Amino acid sequence: MANLMVDFIISLDGYASAEGWPGFWGLEGPEYLAWLDSDGEKQHVSLMGATTYRLMSGFAAQAPDDPGFAELNNMPKIVFSSTLKEPLDWPNTTLVTGDVIDAVRDLKKNTAQPLRTLGSLTLCRSLLAAGLVDRFRVVVFPVITGATGKERIFDQYPDVRLELVENRTFDGRLQLLEYAPTVLDGPPATNG
């Protein structure tokens, strides 16, 4: 059975991106980039929604010789969408138009490779709420983008208890935090 990881890069205040800031908020360092390029970080199936697919496939088409996109082009990808139509332009991408939760539940049962999300805030929220996420990982970049931040990651999430299973610092400033999530029905009871 395949594990499913929700994987985000975030600002300290919980944004996925910010207007006018470069990718990785301009703070990617050699240690972090080497880790991203390691084999362990490439051996999975990427799951995404239509918005992320359009954005990332567009970047890949504009930079066909970029080594990072060459890896992503070769990786198996699954996009969940009711608006996209086949054939898809991005190599190694499968379109799923049916129920996302049922499809991912089936993928977890029948796929040998690990599953990992790529962006796709709405998809990740749905998968977490359905109890399908085995790991929740964030890499926190040391910036606060309150004035320019876009796409608040945790809005509309259910209550979730997180058990820390791994942590690491890259380049003396980026914090990787990986958790095992448990979706809660509400705040835990207090003894008092």
Side-chain angles (χ1 to χ4, degrees):
M1 185 164 177
N3 280 343
L4 170 60
M5 178 184 291
V6 165
D7 193 9
F8 286 125
I9 61 169
I10 67 171
S11 63
L12 183 62
D13 52 346
Y15 285 97
S17 64
E19 190 69 39
W21 288 71
F24 298 117
W25 291 275
L27 296 173
E28 70 278 14
E31 186 180 359
Y32 178 63
L33 292 174
W35 175 76
L36 285 177
D37 196 39
S38 68
D39 285 342
E41 290 303 302
K42 297 177 187 176
Q43 303 303 317
H44 63 273
V45 177
S46 287
L47 308 180
M48 69 192 82
T51 300
T52 299
Y53 171 83
R54 288 181 183 103
L55 179 71
M56 296 302 290
S57 65
F59 288 155
Q62 292 173 7
D65 298 328
D66 181 285
F69 279 110
E71 291 287 340
L72 199 51
N73 290 341
N74 292 328
M75 181 180 295
K77 297 169 288 299
I78 298 173
V79 60
F80 300 93
S81 175
S82 61
T83 59
L84 293 172
K85 303 293 180 213
E86 291 183 315
L88 297 176
D89 294 330
W90 203 5
N92 301 309
T93 304
T94 301
L95 176 63
V96 175
T97 58
D99 184 81
V100 170
I101 302 305
D102 289 341
V104 172
R105 198 171 275 127
D106 186 56
L107 281 168
K108 286 186 67 161
K109 288 179 187 173
N110 299 307
T111 303
Q113 280 186 294
L115 306 170
R116 190 175 302 167
T117 60
L118 177 62
S120 307
L121 302 181
T122 303
L123 173 66
C124 294
R125 184 173 44 245
S126 298
L127 296 174
L128 186 67
L132 295 174
V133 176
D134 301 294
R135 290 286 184 266
F136 193 91
R137 182 168 73 187
V138 296
V139 176
V140 181
F141 284 71
V143 297
I144 295 173
T145 57
T148 58
K150 293 179 9 184
E151 302 176 295
R152 289 182 52 86
I153 291 177
F154 306 114
D155 286 354
Q156 301 175 15
Y157 262 57
D159 289 343
V160 181
R161 184 179 68 237
L162 300 168
E163 178 185 338
L164 185 66
V165 294
E166 184 179 344
N167 65 312
R168 182 172 175 181
T169 302
F170 296 105
D171 303 301
R173 63 181 177 263
L174 309 179
Q175 297 293 312
L176 177 143
L177 302 166
E178 186 174 324
Y179 299 97
T182 302
V183 176
L184 305 174
D185 292 331
T190 58
N191 297 328

